[in-house]
Amino acid sequence: MTYCVGILVRDGLVMIADTRTNAGIDNIATFRKLKIVSEPGRRTLAIATSGNLSVSQSVISMLAEGVENQETGELETLEAQPTMFKAAQLVGRAVREVWRVDGASMKEMTARFDVQMLFGGQVAGGRLRLFMIYAAGNFIEVTPDTPYFQIGEHKYGKPILDRAVQYDTDLYDALKIGLISMDSTMRSNLGVGPPIDVLVLRKDALVPELDYRIEPNDRYFLDLRERWSQALRTAHIEIPRPPYGNNIPGDVEL
Amino acid sequence: MTYCVGILVRDGLVMIADTRTNAGIDNIATFRKLKIVSEPGRRTLAIATSGNLSVSQSVISMLAEGVENQETGELETLEAQPTMFKAAQLVGRAVREVWRVDGASMKEMTARFDVQMLFGGQVAGGRLRLFMIYAAGNFIEVTPDTPYFQIGEHKYGKPILDRAVQYDTDLYDALKIGLISMDSTMRSNLGVGPPIDVLVLRKDALVPELDYRIEPNDRYFLDLRERWSQALRTAHIEIPRPPYGNNIPGDVEL
């Protein structure tokens, strides 16, 4: 399993990814799922992946080597794309190319061609953007109405995002809320686990402001977990108990 | 979709069920999913259902008419079962009987034989118990380590249960926490919706202490929703922002 979240607020982009993979509950390993390509001053791009690890790794490798343009025969790289939109299209093409190579065999073996990606960043001259790319290579883009995307095990960590993240949320508050969302997910699904990779990319900086790995014993994160648990426990205590009396006849027949 | 939660604490049992059903997002209706059978002083039993509505309604109807015992030919009813365990077995037999009648045709039409049930209550002379019954008619029982079961859309509402419910939680705090869990679920999945049916059954009372329908405009529930949202928003504000600086080299190649 995997959990990744990307949040695009007014001041910048946050991307957070866990590192746990599992092929069955008895085969668990650590793989980095957040890849960053930065050429300071020119572009900073980041991809977070979920789904079948062979698919997502092949996409990443193919992007690193260049995706062959079927018409011209040339190898196209992320670095050569002039805009975020064209770069997202290239990621989509890489996904389709992996499908072209591996899709049929995987289908035959009933392995799902399952991949989802968050693709965020900025190219000089364009704006900071965040996309979610599907297994068909198509994609959607975040808008200020709902300024975040999740991939992987998204449900446990969604309530806090829904309530606390807005487009004008402070950049490091967005990081904090993203980490709370990650904590909720890790607590409920053992398939999502540390270390956690985080990226903070400030608007127009064109270089990562924070590129950090949170290790399992990280003091701030342990403190956040404990404070959040404590806050949840006390939050409900301050809500009055239900005042209800019966409003339905006591004996209801089946 | 559906969300039901049952919580068994030291002092009693709470069962909560939404009432929304949907056959596609454009076909939404209200159906009661919490059925209560009470013979005050003798037994109070409650069933909450999720899954395919035709299956769960057939199970409930069959339990009302009696489940035919294949060996003796007699009709067996919930009311005649001397213990909760035997009553849970009877619910399981009803599920299997519906499978026997409808299963093959449903499979042919690729309709999933999908049903899960919470079955809780007490029979005089026995203890208050809570079971989760699967589509195969087998079941598990709550223990004090994790004193709750969820069926249906369970993920959004699980973090608060994990953190706030223990076996020695007050009975009406358990109801309150269950309602918070329901609120989190309704907020994130439109397939789960009001009215909400709740049951509180105090240990050894053998009659429902609360058998209540929370309507969409219920003042207490609206207040709970608002207070909980507010609490979540303020809870994260009191957590310090992340203090991280880079610990990974700035430029990482794909």
Side-chain angles (χ1 to χ4, degrees):
Chain A
M1 211 57 212
T2 287
Y3 179 52
C4 306
V5 57
I7 307 172
L8 184 70
V9 293
R10 190 182 307 279
D11 294 338
L13 171 71
V14 169
M15 289 177 70
I16 305 174
D18 86 311
T19 55
R20 189 162 290 175
T21 66
N22 62 299
I25 192 70
D26 57 348
N27 188 354
I28 285 182
T30 299
F31 283 86
R32 186 169 169 97
K33 302 169 195 171
L34 179 64
K35 295 289 177 180
I36 301 170
V37 190
S38 184
E39 224 186 316
R42 296 190 164 211
R43 68 177 52 75
T44 297
L45 312 176
I47 303 181
T49 58
S50 73
N52 185 302
L53 188 63
S54 80
V55 175
S56 60
Q57 286 190 339
S58 293
V59 171
I60 296 294
S61 294
M62 187 173 292
L63 288 168
E65 293 194 355
V67 185
E68 192 177 329
N69 185 319
Q70 300 288 348
E71 290 165 21
T72 65
E74 278 174 31
L75 287 181
E76 301 193 346
T77 61
L78 277 180
E79 287 80 354
Q81 303 308 308
T83 68
M84 278 300 292
F85 178 68
K86 287 210 159 54
Q89 285 186 309
L90 185 69
V91 177
R93 281 215 297 282
V95 175
R96 289 183 193 127
E97 184 62 16
V98 174
W99 164 255
R100 197 182 63 76
V101 174
D102 293 335
S105 305
M106 288 180 68
K107 206 167 177 179
E108 220 165 317
M109 298 295 163
T110 69
R112 280 183 62 210
F113 187 86
D114 177 21
V115 65
Q116 269 198 322
M117 303 192 168
L118 301 180
F119 177 58
Q122 188 171 17
V123 176
R127 60 189 169 82
L128 185 61
R129 298 174 80 166
L130 173 62
F131 299 94
M132 178 151 72
I133 299 173
Y134 298 104
N138 56 331
F139 50 85
I140 57 175
E141 182 178 5
V142 127
T143 68
D145 289 328
T146 303
Y148 68 86
F149 282 143
Q150 305 169 284
I151 55 175
E153 175 63 279
H154 64 282
K155 293 189 180 183
Y156 298 114
K158 188 164 183 285
I160 178 64
L161 295 173
D162 278 341
R163 288 184 167 95
V165 172
Q166 273 130 27
Y167 185 61
D168 57 4
T169 297
D170 171 271
L171 185 54
Y172 282 83
D173 278 344
L175 173 60
K176 183 175 69 178
I177 295 161
L179 292 176
I180 292 170
S181 176
M182 177 63 76
D183 171 49
S184 292
T185 310
M186 292 198 307
R187 171 144 185 154
S188 289
N189 187 330
L190 292 181
V192 178
I196 301 162
D197 292 316
V198 305
L199 167 72
V200 173
L201 179 60
R202 192 171 290 275
K203 178 184 165 189
D204 298 332
L206 294 168
V207 62
E209 183 165 305
L210 179 65
D211 178 2
Y212 189 79
R213 168 159 286 195
I214 301 175
E215 299 289 349
N217 56 357
D218 182 277
R219 278 184 60 190
Y220 171 76
F221 192 67
L222 293 178
D223 181 59
L224 174 141
R225 300 194 85 162
E226 179 49 37
R227 282 174 187 253
W228 182 248
S229 274
Q230 188 58 42
L232 282 191
R233 282 193 293 268
T234 57
H236 85 82
I237 289 169
E238 284 162 24
I239 298 175
R241 288 183 183 153
Y244 302 132
N246 292 331
N247 68 351
I248 292 178
D251 294 12
V252 177
E253 294 296 316
L254 262 191
Chain B
M1 211 55 214
T2 287
Y3 178 52
C4 305
V5 57
I7 306 172
L8 184 71
V9 293
R10 190 182 307 278
D11 294 337
L13 171 71
V14 170
M15 288 177 71
I16 305 174
D18 86 311
T19 55
R20 189 162 289 175
T21 65
N22 63 298
I25 192 68
D26 57 349
N27 188 354
I28 286 183
T30 299
F31 282 87
R32 186 170 169 97
K33 303 170 195 169
L34 179 64
K35 295 291 178 181
I36 300 169
V37 190
S38 185
E39 225 185 315
R42 296 189 167 214
R43 67 176 54 75
T44 297
L45 312 176
I47 304 181
T49 57
S50 73
N52 186 302
L53 188 65
S54 79
V55 175
S56 60
Q57 286 190 338
S58 293
V59 170
I60 297 293
S61 293
M62 187 173 293
L63 287 168
E65 293 194 356
V67 185
E68 193 177 331
N69 184 320
Q70 300 288 347
E71 290 164 21
T72 65
E74 279 174 31
L75 287 180
E76 302 193 345
T77 62
L78 276 180
E79 287 80 352
Q81 304 307 309
T83 68
M84 278 299 293
F85 178 69
K86 287 210 159 52
Q89 285 186 308
L90 186 69
V91 178
R93 282 216 297 284
V95 176
R96 288 182 194 128
E97 186 61 15
V98 175
W99 165 255
R100 197 181 62 76
V101 174
D102 294 336
S105 305
M106 287 180 69
K107 205 167 176 179
E108 219 165 318
M109 299 293 164
T110 68
R112 280 182 62 209
F113 187 86
D114 176 23
V115 66
Q116 269 198 322
M117 304 193 166
L118 301 180
F119 178 57
Q122 188 171 18
V123 176
R127 60 189 168 82
L128 185 60
R129 299 174 79 165
L130 174 61
F131 299 94
M132 178 151 72
I133 298 173
Y134 299 104
N138 57 330
F139 50 84
I140 58 176
E141 181 179 7
V142 128
T143 68
D145 289 328
T146 303
Y148 68 86
F149 282 143
Q150 305 168 285
I151 55 175
E153 176 62 281
H154 65 281
K155 293 189 179 184
Y156 299 114
K158 188 163 184 284
I160 179 64
L161 295 172
D162 278 340
R163 287 184 167 97
V165 172
Q166 273 131 25
Y167 186 61
D168 57 4
T169 297
D170 172 89
L171 184 54
Y172 282 83
D173 278 344
L175 173 59
K176 183 175 68 179
I177 295 162
L179 292 176
I180 293 171
S181 175
M182 177 64 76
D183 170 49
S184 292
T185 309
M186 292 198 308
R187 172 143 186 155
S188 289
N189 188 329
L190 292 180
V192 177
I196 301 162
D197 292 315
V198 305
L199 167 72
V200 173
L201 179 59
R202 192 171 290 274
K203 180 183 164 189
D204 298 332
L206 294 168
V207 62
E209 183 165 305
L210 179 66
D211 179 2
Y212 189 81
R213 168 159 286 193
I214 301 174
E215 299 288 349
N217 56 358
D218 183 276
R219 277 183 60 190
Y220 171 76
F221 192 66
L222 293 177
D223 182 59
L224 174 141
R225 300 193 85 163
E226 178 49 37
R227 283 174 186 252
W228 181 247
S229 274
Q230 188 60 42
L232 282 190
R233 281 192 294 269
T234 56
H236 84 82
I237 289 168
E238 284 161 24
I239 298 175
R241 288 182 183 154
Y244 301 133
N246 292 332
N247 69 352
I248 291 179
D251 295 11
V252 178
E253 294 297 317
L254 264 192

